[in-house]
Each structure stands twice: as C-alpha cells, then as structure tokens.
Amino acid sequence: DIGILVNYIGRNVIGNASRMQITLDIAKQPRYRFQYQKNFGKAYKYWTRSEAYGQFLEQEAYLEGESLEDLNYDYYLFDSQINKNFNSLKDFAGIGISYEYTTAEPKKNPEIDNNALDLRDYRFKNLELYGHYNYNSMNQVRYATRGTFFQARLARSLYHVADVSFVEQTTNDVFGQTNGFTRLGMGFEKRVSLSKNFVAAGGAEAGFIFMDDPGEDDVSFAEYGYGANYQLGGNLIRPRKDDVVFPGLNEGELPVTQFMVLKGALQYSPGKNFYLTPHVHLASVGYNDFSDFIEHAFSPDGDWYLNNEVSALISAGITASYNSFLGPVDVDVSWVNGIDKVRLFFGIGYQFNRSN
C-alpha cells in the first residue's frame, strides 16, 4: 500500500500546555487520527488525552495459511484517558474509557458471488473501562541499542454487542449482547549493547481474555467476538492496540482470544544505518476462555492454522534494514511452523504510529 502521511501538530491552540494533532494517511487503505492532549496540575504531571481514530483496510481471512476471502475491514476508536507522569521522559499510568466499532464484509457482492464464509456483514461494538501503565527507556525510536520497554493494560467491557448476518444460512444470524469479558495485555522488551556492532534483544508479550459465563440470551463471545480479539501477524507495529507483531504471518492473519509470546533477536550493524537482525518468536495461542487456554498453554498439541485448539506457533527469520532519510527500509524473510511457509516482507517509509 503506497500513500502519503500528512501530520499537523498545534501547541497551545486550545488552552495552555495543550497539543492538538491531526494525522491523515492518504492511501488506498486510508487511516486518520484526531487527538487532543492537555497537561495540568503541579509541574504539569497530570494530563488528559482524547482521540478519534479510524482505518479502512482490505484484509484477508485465512484458513490453514491460505487466503480464504478478501474483506473490507473497518475499525473506529474513540478514546479518552487521564494519566500521571512519574518521569515525564519514561513512564506514566492512568485510567480511561474507549469505544471500538469493528465492521467486516466481503469485497465481492455475496448476492452475486457468495464467499467461503457465507458472510454478508459483521459488526461488533465494545465500550470498555481500563487502567494502564507504560515505561519506556529505549535510547531511540528505531533500531534502539539499549533500554527497557514495559506496558500493561487491564480493561473491563461494559457494553459488547455482536451483529452478524449470513447469505444463505440466515438461521445462523445473530444480534445481541455477548457474554461479558475482561482483557489483560502485557508486553516487555529489553535491549543490551554487547559491542559497537551487536545488540541483544529479548522480550515477552501476552494477552488474555477472561470471559463471563454466558447468560441464557447472550451471544457467544468466543464464537462472535472477533472484533475484540487479539490479531497476530505482520512485521509492523499497527495503531490498533490489540494487533500483535508476529513475523512469518500476514498482517492480522491469526485472530486469537489468548496468547503468550517469547521473542529474541540479535541486531548487527555492519555499517552506519545498516542492520541485520536474525529473530525467533515462540508462542502459545488459544481460541476460547482463559481457563481452557492455561490448562494446555505449556503443552499445546493443536494446529494453530485450524483456529480451534491451544497450539504452538513458531517463526524464525532475518530482517535487513536501512535507516534512510525517507524512513526505515526493511526486508524480512521468515518461516512459520505448521504451514511450512517462508514469507517475504518489504516496507519503506514512516508508518502510521500507535498512541501509547
């Protein structure tokens, strides 16, 4: 996807100690963000942020590593939070409330050419209250050579509605509240400089969804809560907070309700702004409630590409990078288990970043 990023930042436009940001990704698959932030209190340690974000993507649905269907995948986020800085350059904590609206529908008219999913339209709404903590001491944004990153987020859904309609199997149509759920996400990375040219990087990431017992009239979240799932795949950090980088998988290829990932890499710089980074990712993934996942998480025996049982997911590869004046240039080749595929990724330029 080729496009142009347009970014405007205005300081103290609406009140003192404030910042207004408007970012547009003008591309075939566009994105936008409107954000307002204001610091207040003694030494301005407290701050509020409100944001509206939207993306209009073309995303593929996968089964057994093969593309099953092309979907128009739209996602909207409205978020408001209040935070306190402990160290304005490193860490903060706060609480917030967010509303997410996810839609997916086949690109082709299903009335003319029905799809393998028999899907006409999918919609999911989620309103949640959350608390979070972020710590970041990395010495630079890209290709850091030292530092620590940690984040944690605990969220409770207050309103959660699924609306799904099918083309032929209309008796499977659903509309209504799903059973309630709580989400817990954590991420950690440590980078250590071994020498002038070598940097060791290691980390872990996890996301869990604790589902309430479904009521008599509840729609099953495990079956229809796709809009609130974690989505594994791709090489780039994407704006949606529940998207998880996993080389070897295509972007958003694997939606899961539970996951744990261990990752390691060795960053080698043979010359100024050039990098070679072999990496490995080891994961355990699940598709149902946390209780089912944790029972099998450390001895998974399913096949991740079938999207039903707790499974091991492994990828290994190498990334060649150049930090150019146009932004980072990355070429990655990665293998992933199960489907035994080797996939190539190429990216150039600055990407639409994530709000942390």
Side-chain angles (χ1 to χ4, degrees), residues 22 104 109 143 208 286 315 340:
I22 301 173
N109 185 342
Y143 315 116
F208 308 119
S315 80
D340 291 324

Side-chain angles (χ1 to χ4, degrees), residues 194-257:
L194 302 178
S195 68
K196 180 181 178 180
N197 301 100
F198 287 93
V199 175
E205 195 167 357
F208 308 119
I209 299 180
F210 305 90
M211 305 177 200
D212 298 348
D213 292 333
E216 184 177 345
D217 298 323
D218 284 343
V219 174
S220 170
F221 175 84
E223 191 171 355
Y224 296 105
Y226 166 80
N229 283 184
Y230 303 103
Q231 295 187 16
L232 276 62
N235 294 70
L236 302 174
I237 296 176
R238 301 188 297 281
R240 185 177 178 270
K241 294 184 183 296
D242 298 313
D243 289 348
V244 181
V245 171
F246 204 96
L249 295 182
N250 292 312
E251 185 171 306
E253 178 172 348
L254 186 63
V256 300
T257 56

Side-chain angles (χ1 to χ4, degrees), residues 92-113:
F92 65 89
I95 59 174
I97 189 166
S98 68
Y99 173 76
E100 300 171 295
Y101 179 45
T102 303
T103 72
E105 59 183 20
K107 287 184 63 177
K108 298 178 182 178
N109 185 342
E111 297 290 352
I112 299 174
D113 184 10

Side-chain angles (χ1 to χ4, degrees), residues 3 21 45 49 58 69 107 159 168 224 230 262 329 350:
Q21 180 176 0
K45 288 187 175 182
R49 177 194 289 164
E58 296 176 3
E69 188 64 38
K107 287 184 63 177
Y159 175 75
E168 296 180 359
Y224 296 105
Y230 303 103
L262 291 176
V329 180
Y350 296 101

Side-chain angles (χ1 to χ4, degrees), residues 138 188-192 200-204 262-265:
M138 294 293 181
F188 169 80
E189 183 177 343
K190 179 72 175 179
R191 292 192 170 222
V192 178
L262 291 176
K263 50 189 176 181

Side-chain angles (χ1 to χ4, degrees), residues 58-71 107-108 115-117 250-253 304-305 307 339 341 343:
E58 296 176 3
Q59 188 157 307
E60 295 175 298
Y62 290 87
L63 182 64
E64 300 185 18
E66 300 293 339
S67 176
L68 195 64
E69 188 64 38
D70 292 332
L71 302 174
K107 287 184 63 177
K108 298 178 182 178
N115 53 85
L117 301 173
N250 292 312
E251 185 171 306
E253 178 172 348
W304 65 264
Y305 49 85
N307 303 79
I339 56 175
K341 286 182 178 291
R343 284 173 169 160

